[in-house]
Amino acid sequence: MRALELLIPIVLALFLVWPKPRPLVVRWLPPASLLLLGLHLVWEGYRWEMLGLYGLAAVLALWAVAGLALKRETGWKTGIPLLLVLVVATAVPILVPVPVLPQPGGTLAVGTRTFELVDTSRKEVWSGKDEPRRFLIRAWYPALPTSGDKRAPWMEGAEVYAPALAAYMGLPSFALDHLALARTTAFAIAKLAPQTGGYPLVLFSHGWKGFDAQNTAQAIELASRGYLVVALQHTYGAITSVFPDGTIAPNNPAALPDGAPDAVYDEAAHRLVEQWSGDLAFTLDHLLVQNGDSTSELFGAIDVQRVGVYGHSTGGGAALQFAARDPRVKSVLGMDPFMRPVAPAVVASGLTTPSYYLFSQKWADDTGSLNNRLFATLSKASTGSLGQVAIQGTGHLDFSDLPLLSPLAPLIGLKGPIDSARVTAILNAYLVGFFDQTLRGSPSPLFAGDHPFAEVVAKK
């Protein structure tokens, strides 16, 4: 809970548990809680999870004012039930908090901004219109923030994204409205910090029904350590997309048709990853053009010899396909890469690019799955792999920020039983270590064979 959210039930609890006769100052606590509530609404913002506390504060304020007017107090028979109501009302915002992203381990301030790209050389596949492919990218980078710069929201366009994400999770449309209140440690549209020789560039590709901000904590971690990180929003494959002109492009289920015959599904899946790997290639093209344009804010910001990519799930498959085909990519990391959509030629020939793979326990333990069989084929044919591991106690979504949505995340399938802080530390260590070794030439002991985290084991 945020500061004022927590202070309101504390004040009300003090009033309810204080034995009679209460001092005058204690009897004024419920009306004071209404003042705190008003400050909370102004500074922190309304959210539905606080409705019980809003109502209880109002009831207790009226109760207290009536007692002051009548010069008498209501006894324990009323106070104890209200105390139980207070406990329940307080539990809701605790169990469904405004997400707080972990502090990054690097020393650099981070900025972020979003751009729209239009690739006129490719047609949009899933809009039903004759139009070019367009999509969004979101960048995180070392920044020089000023006093006027504000912390960036975790989820831009939350009024559209939050209901779409709630529907995906089978929740009421309003259930995730509070995500609009989540702020990150990055500063919105802050000035890029100059760097002689440019920064290493890392691209990120999200999974099916994911979105560009789903791995913000990892992006900020890398940016705070001197990387330029760019996450793509794959239009019609993302949970939804909201363009600057107000156009909304929802997820198109036909792009990856669940339950379709194998032949139909495979054809659609290969088309999807072909388009997504094309998004990655066009993004890199665009960024390198900007890097060479003296009028661009990105002029000289990228070290073109140090380009990496990573992805989660279907985005992991797209990252592998992109890295296999584009020699500009110097390293690739997959998080539970979904292999079925990857082109058969890529699976058969493997990768020569330095690569590494992190698997959730859930995916790794399913040893006979088609995904694991395809990955085994690619792994055997690859010559550049630094290894593959599984993280015990993790589920598929532990590789994203989504487990931060609630302490109840393990119960609703958003994560495995592993502690979120622990898995964050593990993921950041491997992510930073991998790109430091492959893009900066700084060897990491993580890839020498021994794993310092007990939860990390070699994948079977």
Side-chain angles (χ1 to χ4, degrees), residues 2 5 40-41 45-55 88-89 91-98 162 166 171-181 405-406 408:
R2 296 171 295 174
E5 290 180 352
H40 149 73
L41 291 173
Y46 159 86
R47 63 188 186 106
W48 67 265
E49 296 88 347
M50 289 286 293
L51 283 173
L53 285 173
Y54 298 159
V88 174
V92 177
I94 289 175
L95 294 175
V96 190
V98 175
L171 301 172
S173 61
F174 65 84
L176 300 179
D177 287 353
H178 62 288
L179 297 183
L181 303 172
L405 296 182
S406 171
L408 299 175

Side-chain angles (χ1 to χ4, degrees), residues 112-132:
T112 184
R113 62 178 64 193
T114 300
F115 305 89
E116 177 183 344
L117 300 186
V118 180
D119 182 358
T120 57
S121 69
R122 292 184 298 148
K123 292 291 187 181
E124 180 54 69
V125 178
W126 302 289
S127 69
K129 301 176 183 178
D130 183 13
E131 59 183 355

Side-chain angles (χ1 to χ4, degrees), residues 2 49 96-103 110-114 136-140 150-166 168-169 171 175-189 204 206 209-221 231-233 239-240 242 310 312 397-406 409 414 424:
R2 296 171 295 174
E49 296 88 347
V96 190
V98 175
V100 177
L101 269 63
Q103 291 291 322
V110 177
T112 184
R113 62 178 64 193
T114 300
L136 301 170
I137 62 172
R138 186 167 179 177
W140 293 264
K150 297 181 179 180
R151 300 288 182 178
W154 177 62
M155 178 180 280
E156 296 178 346
E159 68 281 0
V160 177
Y161 283 99
L165 190 58
Y168 173 56
M169 296 179 181
L171 301 172
L176 300 179
D177 287 353
H178 62 288
L179 297 183
L181 303 172
R183 291 293 180 269
T184 73
T185 56
F187 294 91
I189 320 180
F204 173 73
H206 64 74
K209 292 190 177 180
F211 54 104
D212 55 3
Q214 70 169 55
N215 286 52
T216 292
Q218 295 167 11
I220 291 176
E221 178 72 24
L232 283 72
Q233 176 97 348
I239 188 70
T240 192
V242 183
Y310 79 112
H312 174 242
L397 295 179
D398 272 299
F399 291 117
S400 71
D401 294 342
L402 295 184
L404 300 173
L405 296 182
S406 171
L414 287 182
T424 295

Side-chain angles (χ1 to χ4, degrees), residues 243-269:
F243 289 94
D245 64 2
T247 300
I248 297 174
N251 176 271
N252 186 341
L256 201 62
D258 188 35
D262 286 349
V264 174
Y265 183 91
D266 287 342
E267 181 182 358

